[in-house]
Each structure stands twice: as structure tokens, then as C-alpha cells.
Amino acid sequence: MDRHKLFADYINNHPEAIGKVVDFDADHDRLYHFDLTAANKELTAEVINKPWLFSQLVSDKLHDNNCRYGIGGYMEHRTIYAFSSHFDTDDEPRRLHLGVDIWSDAGTPVYAPLDGIVHSFQDNNNIGDYGPTIILQHDLDGLPLYSLYGHLSRKSLEGLSVGKPVFKNQQIATFGNADENGQWPPHLHFQLMFDMEGRQGDYPGVSRFSEKETWQKNIPDPGLILRFPDAVNVG
């Protein structure tokens, strides 16, 4: 059977098994939708190439719209990766964002939304990369699922070991700052995979746009776990 359907069926049939990724309160918090495509004219080359300017833009948007968190990015074709050679390839550059970004302050707690174990972790310490990264492994009634948490604080990697149990709603990390998270504004890259394809501590979060259909087969929509309401984008 199709893994995407099995995943969706599990979510629908076991709502009690799904916890939180961040402390979002649907009764009181609003979400700001960040558009990181070419349509966003505020993302000038100067902003993208200066982490402090990019961070200020994110912070101002959240504050001005009275939003505790921002969100966006699943299968979004972005222009912002031009600032780092990390995303360049010999032919088509990588610009398709495969996960979801959750934007908030450095130090924001991150939680495991499902029971599982630590699959792997490492500091992907390159400009534009994930920085400190944790990958968890879950078993959804026989369906393997992996969840990736990128752009964390370095402290988040302390005390981890492969195979260590984690439990729903257990805090596993905090958002990192630009000095440790790959030089990004503080945020969490949250991504799901059915198959790690032999990788440890890392999995592509940005791909070539021409390969979108291939990546979608292995990367389900994180929104099924997050269950966030619609985001606002008013200014």
C-alpha cells in the first residue's frame, strides 16, 4: 500500500499518539506565513547575505503581526539559497525546500511529536547548512518514519546517544542562533522521511526543483503532524 496513505491513516486513527513540535497554542497564538520565493521582494540580496538583517526581518514580521511563530516552506521553490555555495551543483542549483520551517526566537523549545528513538545526530557545520541536527526514528504500526530537526543549538546534541528512547511531548532540543545554526535566523527545519537511505545525522532538506516528484515519494507533508491552523500574511 502507498506509504503516504498509511501515514495519513495512522494520523487519523491515532490522534492521541501525536504530540507537539513546539509550544503552539491554537487558542491564543497566531502563525505568520513566510514566503521565501522570488515573489517576496523584501528578500533582497543584501538581506539574504547578512544574517543579522535577515534575522531582523523575521523578527519584525512576527512582532508586527502579533505572531509567536512563523511557518512555511514545504515543497517551496525558493531563491534564498543563492547566498551559499552549499546549494550549488554542476548543473541545476538546489532551490526546492523539502521540509517545513518554524520561525521563532533562539532558545525556543523543540519536542518529539511521537514516541521513538534517536536514529542519529551531528553538527552539519557549513554556511547555509542545518548546523546541529537530530533525527528520530518512529514505528507507526509497522510503518517506519523518521523526523529531522535542523538548525538547533549545539547544546541540543549534548547527552544524546543512538538508540536512546524519546517520548511524545518530550523536549529534545532548542532553536539555535545564527552563530551555530548555519547562519540563519533562528528557526527549526522540521522534515519527515519514510526512508533514511543509509544516511546518518543528515538528510537533504533542499533539492533540485526538477526532482520534486521523486523527493515527494519519500517525504510526506509535515503538516499532518503539526496540525497548525492557517497562517496569516498581512504585512
Side-chain angles (χ1 to χ4, degrees), residues 24 54 61 103 129 147 150 155 193 199 207:
F24 179 80
F54 197 175
K61 289 298 182 184
W103 307 81
D129 206 339
S147 56
K155 186 177 181 180
M193 295 80 60
R199 294 177 171 91
S207 75

Side-chain angles (χ1 to χ4, degrees), residues 109-170:
V110 179
Y111 303 88
L114 298 159
D115 291 347
I117 61 172
V118 174
H119 173 270
S120 52
F121 56 94
Q122 69 183 26
D123 189 351
N124 296 291
N125 188 19
N126 303 295
I127 294 175
D129 206 339
Y130 287 134
T133 307
I134 297 173
I135 299 173
L136 304 181
Q137 180 176 346
H138 315 281
D139 181 350
L140 309 186
D141 285 349
L143 175 69
L145 183 73
Y146 301 86
S147 56
L148 182 149
Y149 310 81
H151 308 297
L152 306 175
S153 64
R154 290 206 170 96
K155 186 177 181 180
S156 301
L157 302 185
E158 296 177 1
L160 291 183
S161 58
V162 172
K164 181 178 181 179
V166 294
F167 302 98
K168 182 187 75 172
N169 292 334
Q170 175 185 338

Side-chain angles (χ1 to χ4, degrees), residues 24-25 28-32 65-69 232 234:
F24 179 80
D25 183 346
H28 300 94
D29 292 331
R30 298 203 315 165
L31 284 169
Y32 182 81
N65 291 281
N66 192 30
C67 293
R68 186 178 177 190
Y69 297 100
V232 299
V234 294

Side-chain angles (χ1 to χ4, degrees), residues 44-56:
T44 63
E46 181 182 19
V47 169
I48 293 170
N49 283 283
K50 293 182 178 179
W52 67 271
L53 278 178
F54 197 175
S55 293
Q56 190 62 52

